[in-house]
Amino acid sequence: MYHTIVIGGGCLGASAAISLQRKLNKKGKQEKVCLVEKAVLCAAESSRHSGIVRSANADPDASMMAMISTKMWKNLSEVWGLDMELDEFGAIWIAKKNSEGENPVWNDLSKRMNKINLVFEEINSSSAVEKCGTTLLTDENESYFYEPDAFQLDPSILRSTLYDALDHNGVELMEKTEVDTILTKGSEIVGLTTNNGKISAKNFINATGAWSSQLFSKIGIKIPVTIEPVSVVNWMESPKQIRYEYPIIADYTNLCYFRSWRGNKMHAHQPRKRSVYEIAKNFLNDLTTVNGGEYLNEPMNQSLAYNQIKNYEDISKKRFSNIDKTVYASGYRSFFDITPDLRFILGKDSKYNNLFHNLGSGQAMKYCPVLGESIAEEIMNDYDLINKFDYKKFNINRFSDDYMKEFWNLVQGEENTLHRQGKNTL
Ligand SMILES: Cc1cc2nc3c(=O)[nH]c(=O)nc-3n(C[C@H](O)[C@H](O)[C@H](O)COP(=O)(O)OP(=O)(O)OC[C@H]3O[C@@H](n4cnc5c(N)ncnc54)[C@H](O)[C@@H]3O)c2cc1C
């Protein structure tokens, strides 16, 4: 019997397994953590992300967690027992100014970030160009903010580091092992059946991301998670124009994130949609399309259509002066796993005493060290980190029947008409 079985070998499952095994090892316990993955480590969303780590966030708890996470990434040997290469080039945030020529929302964010010692400061357009080179197109109606501590990492290096850290700390990794049935007794989970036999443990962590709602509905837990498809492109670039040491560009004018990629490429993807109507549409779509995360591993879904590449080309041309002279290198489709409020689902389940959730809601790679440590602390009853932010607000119990009723009321009946969608706020 294992101390804990983590279901799902993405970056969130792997980091939780590593943190928990390290805590057990430090206490001199002989007990083992087992990580069960139906394909291979980071087979899904965790290998198709952009590797961007920025901390400024409208939600103060999310910014605090991102700050702690940034410190962990930069001293990873303390958290995972080994270090990883990071590219620390900072990030430039860009948005349209309001009719008074200001950006009060980000000015306010800057003040709040200052209070937690996170630098997120306004810079002028020439300073932005200086940091990027003349290929960056600027506009007097835009404002520019700089987050120097932001960094980027390489998803394939993260994947290798996770393999090494699991091994280094003694986590048992079972790949190509799919959990089929969750066995319960009263308010406890007692075991799992898989294609490689039955396994049991004292505790269970759900880190199955987009697959969560399908797997756990079998034992009566409603996990409101679905997928929002997204496309990604990489443009071949000249290092003479866009060097590798290029800041991340978080472009909220054109709704696109850009970063330099190995092999002299410029990488671009669009962010999650924020309106309740758009979020709910993904929950509706899920009923009629390929189930949950299977979307990603379906080969027919991998290639990009011409209009998607063209969309990115049009956006890129608005931000970079030279992109029309460059070459499309590669692209693929991926998905964000999203919840109704676009926040994580973290911590103990409301129905089963020995079940803990660790899900990302579309933007969690950067938080994986802090999320792994937090879940490990909760399981070990050894609170330190989770006292530093409001961990409980991310608990699954917030999605009560009343909450979900209100959510669906926003997209049903009269609310589901186009003339009302602009008014929808949750
Ligand atoms: C285009 C794109 C760009 C992104 N960029 C960033 C970024 O710059 N910064 C950032 O922080 N985040 C980013 N993200 C988000 C980030 O990738 C995810 O939040 C993160 O990878 C989620 O990790 P996970 O472990 O929760 O999920 P996953 O990686 O999806 O892992 C879930 C795992 O569970 C396994 N599984 C499912 N069912 C079972 C079962 N029954 N039995 C066993 N195993 C099972 C699956 O095979 C899968 O490997 C991006 C996402 C996308 C799509």
Side-chain angles (χ1 to χ4, degrees):
M1 150 124 40
Y2 294 104
H3 178 276
T4 299
I5 295 175
V6 184
I7 317 170
C11 59
L12 295 199
S15 57
I18 295 163
S19 286
L20 188 54
Q21 187 68 66
R22 278 176 78 76
K23 287 191 192 299
L24 289 168
N25 296 350
K26 271 191 195 146
K27 286 194 187 276
K29 308 241 180 202
Q30 300 300 313
E31 292 172 291
K32 282 277 184 194
V33 177
C34 175
L35 176 61
V36 182
E37 164 54 46
K38 72 174 183 167
V40 290
L41 198 70
C42 296
E45 213 187 332
S46 296
S47 60
R48 291 172 175 90
H49 57 78
S50 299
I52 294 173
V53 181
R54 295 177 297 136
S55 298
N57 194 301
D59 180 329
D61 291 298
S63 352
M64 183 53 87
M65 289 160 80
M67 284 259 296
I68 298 170
S69 204
T70 295
K71 287 196 185 112
M72 289 179 168
W73 283 114
K74 293 186 179 181
N75 297 290
L76 206 56
S77 57
E78 282 173 27
V79 198
W80 291 357
L82 36 84
D83 281 317
M84 193 180 84
E85 190 185 330
L86 305 174
D87 294 324
E88 300 181 47
F89 310 147
I92 293 181
W93 297 49
I94 306 175
K96 278 256 178 285
K97 289 177 183 162
N98 67 13
S99 51
E100 274 99 55
E102 286 163 2
N103 186 341
V105 177
W106 284 9
N107 279 321
D108 182 51
L109 182 63
S110 177
K111 284 186 200 136
R112 278 187 282 131
M113 293 302 104
N114 201 13
K115 284 192 188 140
I116 58 167
N117 294 323
L118 175 84
V119 180
F120 177 71
E121 60 187 8
E122 184 155 23
I123 54 172
N124 58 30
S125 59
S126 36
S127 171
V129 171
E130 201 181 298
K131 288 179 175 30
C132 299
T134 50
T135 46
L136 187 79
L137 294 174
T138 54
D139 183 317
E140 60 181 23
N141 296 316
E142 286 178 331
S143 58
Y144 303 88
F145 280 71
Y146 184 48
E147 186 184 335
D149 282 342
F151 62 87
Q152 57 190 45
L153 52 84
D154 184 323
S156 60
I157 293 181
L158 171 59
R159 183 167 182 253
S160 310
T161 305
L162 287 171
Y163 270 112
D164 292 345
L166 289 167
D167 206 31
H168 175 78
N169 293 293
V171 174
E172 190 167 326
L173 172 62
M174 290 175 77
E175 292 181 299
K176 311 216 168 157
T177 303
E178 179 162 5
V179 173
D180 177 45
T181 314
I182 302 169
L183 307 167
T184 61
K185 194 172 175 194
S187 54
E188 299 275 314
I189 295 182
V190 289
L192 307 170
T193 65
T194 77
N195 53 314
N196 284 321
K198 194 178 149 190
I199 40 177
S200 52
K202 291 198 253 175
N203 305 293
F204 296 83
I205 298 177
N206 164 33
T208 56
W211 286 266
S212 299
S213 72
Q214 287 162 268
L215 184 63
F216 286 87
S217 65
K218 294 179 186 173
I219 55 166
I221 304 178
K222 292 183 204 161
I223 306 183
V225 174
T226 190
I227 56 169
E228 179 184 326
V230 57
S231 306
V232 174
V233 298
N234 291 314
W235 304 98
M236 219 179 300
E237 255 310 329
S238 164
K240 292 189 192 307
Q241 288 179 306
I242 295 184
R243 57 185 193 274
Y244 182 63
E245 300 79 14
Y246 203 84
I248 297 155
I249 306 289
D251 182 346
Y252 290 93
T253 305
N254 299 306
L255 287 182
C256 197
Y257 301 134
F258 300 97
R259 61 160 283 191
S260 61
W261 205 257
R262 271 159 214 269
N264 300 318
K265 295 192 187 96
M266 173 60 93
H267 169 92
H269 82 83
Q270 295 202 276
R272 291 167 298 179
K273 297 196 178 71
R274 301 256 162 197
S275 86
V276 178
Y277 181 80
E278 293 290 349
I279 293 168
K281 225 162 57 172
N282 288 301
F283 277 90
L284 288 172
N285 285 344
D286 193 35
L287 299 176
T288 51
T289 57
V290 186
N291 274 339
E294 291 314 319
Y295 169 90
L296 184 68
N297 294 324
E298 167 59 54
M300 294 294 282
N301 274 326
Q302 286 302 312
S303 48
L304 291 191
Y306 170 78
N307 63 343
Q308 286 158 336
I309 301 171
K310 184 81 178 77
N311 174 37
Y312 276 107
E313 191 182 62
D314 291 346
I315 293 173
S316 304
K317 277 183 190 170
K318 289 182 194 159
R319 187 51 66 202
F320 304 101
S321 61
N322 62 331
I323 212 82
D324 56 331
K325 296 188 185 70
T326 57
V327 180
Y328 169 74
S330 60
Y332 54 86
R333 297 182 81 190
S334 184
F335 64 77
F336 300 115
D337 55 333
I338 57 164
T339 54
D341 60 5
L342 295 186
R343 284 188 176 144
F344 318 110
I345 301 182
L346 293 182
K348 199 170 187 162
D349 185 58
S350 340
K351 197 166 169 189
Y352 292 98
N353 297 328
N354 60 345
L355 174 64
F356 301 81
H357 300 285
N358 190 14
L359 316 180
S361 198
Q363 251 260 347
M365 180 281 301
K366 67 183 175 193
Y367 298 97
C368 75
V370 73
L371 298 184
E373 280 290 298
S374 305
I375 294 281
E377 281 189 2
E378 192 180 4
I379 293 180
M380 297 294 282
N381 243 324
D382 189 8
Y383 294 15
D384 170 34
L385 194 63
I386 50 183
N387 290 331
K388 295 189 175 139
F389 51 88
D390 189 357
Y391 179 70
K392 290 210 170 99
K393 92 173 181 200
F394 301 108
N395 195 280
I396 192 165
N397 60 18
R398 72 185 185 275
F399 296 120
S400 61
D401 287 348
D402 283 348
Y403 181 100
M404 292 311 292
K405 202 168 148 200
E406 189 194 339
F407 177 74
W408 285 114
N409 276 342
L410 292 171
V411 284
Q412 276 168 356
E414 193 200 353
E415 299 287 350
N416 194 20
T417 57
L418 288 175
H419 74 277
R420 292 296 296 268
Q421 62 168 290
K423 295 179 188 161
N424 288 342
T425 48
L426 200 63

